[in-house]
Amino acid sequence: TKVIFLSLEMSTSQLLKRYVRDRAHVEKEAYRYRMFNSNIADTYLPDLDGLKFAGIDEGMRYGIPEIESILKTEKPELLIIDNLNKLKGEGRGELEVTQNVSQGILNLTRQYKVPIIVIHHANKAMPTVRKKREEPPPAGSDAYKKKPEEGALFRGLSGMRGTNKTADDADIILEIARMPWTLEATPWDKTKSSLWAYKDREFDATAKLEIYYYEGNFYEDYKKVKEEQDKKTKQVLIPV
């Protein structure tokens, strides 16, 4: 499968460094001071075989004509755009520009029969007003064990930045967020994200999923790999 990732915020070098660092579970400070195994790039970059990057490395701004050129010349089976707000377009204001860009992407998917995933940021939640002399909870308090409500992270369709036309044009709308974990969180808790499906034009269904992504595998895949590894380990340890 040929996939093109059109990055309009980060360079290819930045994306690759971020991917390798996260896959190797290297903290940002440790990576900055090179406190990690020097072979991590050779270990994890092969995961991205088949993925081609485009975007700000070319030193140009992207709009509908440039995206169409990619579809014509590269003929990808999937195009991912990060993000909608960085695409240039025509219009008298940000709202009109977003509407025209959204319509343009919709037309391209219909014309070239290529699925396009567009990353779009949600509006930030309104900050909670704190009392002037509010003191933090004492150490060991149960307050540190409480999980925040999901509503504080998920913005829903009404929380999408810009115009409602973006939601109308999309065939599928997903929102993903990672809940902050508490001090008692297990390793699996730290890898959990929640995914809301608000719209599916074909199946007319909504859903919520819990996603676990650990060591480069989703939870179900990881379990299968781990089970196979455990079987091999047991076979080696069985006395003859």
Side-chain angles (χ1 to χ4, degrees), residues 220-235:
E220 293 298 330
D221 295 328
Y222 177 82
K223 284 200 303 183
K224 293 177 183 177
V225 172
K226 192 67 175 173
E227 287 172 0
E228 291 299 321
Q229 291 176 344
D230 291 342
K231 287 180 182 178
K232 292 179 181 179
T233 302
K234 290 178 180 178
Q235 290 173 356

Side-chain angles (χ1 to χ4, degrees), residues 97-116:
V97 169
T98 304
Q99 288 178 336
N100 293 335
V101 168
S102 179
Q103 182 63 49
I105 293 174
L106 176 63
N107 294 340
L108 291 178
T109 61
R110 302 295 188 260
Q111 181 178 349
Y112 292 94
K113 310 299 181 185
V114 175
I116 300 178

Side-chain angles (χ1 to χ4, degrees), residues 28 30-31 146 229 232:
K28 187 183 297 185
Y31 192 88
K146 294 180 180 179
Q229 291 176 344
K232 292 179 181 179

Side-chain angles (χ1 to χ4, degrees), residues 178-189:
R178 178 178 294 179
M179 297 291 293
W181 40 270
T182 65
L183 296 177
E184 295 182 341
T186 67
W188 285 115
D189 290 332

Side-chain angles (χ1 to χ4, degrees), residues 117-238:
I117 297 175
V118 183
I119 298 172
H120 187 41
H121 296 301
N123 290 318
K124 293 182 179 179
M126 295 296 292
T128 303
V129 179
R130 299 186 64 185
K131 297 177 182 178
K132 288 184 178 180
R133 296 185 178 180
E134 183 179 2
E135 296 293 332
S141 169
D142 288 340
Y144 291 106
K145 300 179 183 179
K146 294 180 180 179
K147 295 183 179 180
E149 295 181 1
E150 283 193 329
L153 292 179
F154 287 93
R155 310 307 302 152
L157 293 178
S158 61
M160 292 178 64
R161 290 179 60 180
T163 170
N164 291 333
K165 180 167 173 50
T166 306
D168 294 336
D169 290 341
D171 290 325
I172 299 173
I173 299 177
L174 306 174
E175 185 177 13
I176 188 168
R178 178 178 294 179
M179 297 291 293
W181 40 270
T182 65
L183 296 177
E184 295 182 341
T186 67
W188 285 115
D189 290 332
K190 298 178 183 180
T191 65
K192 184 178 78 170
S193 299
S194 295
L195 177 72
W196 274 100
Y198 298 122
K199 175 184 176 182
D200 188 319
R201 195 188 301 278
E202 182 176 357
F203 297 102
D204 191 24
T206 59
K208 178 193 172 188
L209 299 174
E210 302 293 346
I211 300 174
Y212 295 83
Y213 192 76
Y214 184 70
E215 294 188 355
N217 291 283
F218 288 104
Y219 179 60
E220 293 298 330
D221 295 328
Y222 177 82
K223 284 200 303 183
K224 293 177 183 177
V225 172
K226 192 67 175 173
E227 287 172 0
E228 291 299 321
Q229 291 176 344
D230 291 342
K231 287 180 182 178
K232 292 179 181 179
T233 302
K234 290 178 180 178
Q235 290 173 356
V236 172
L237 295 178
I238 293 175

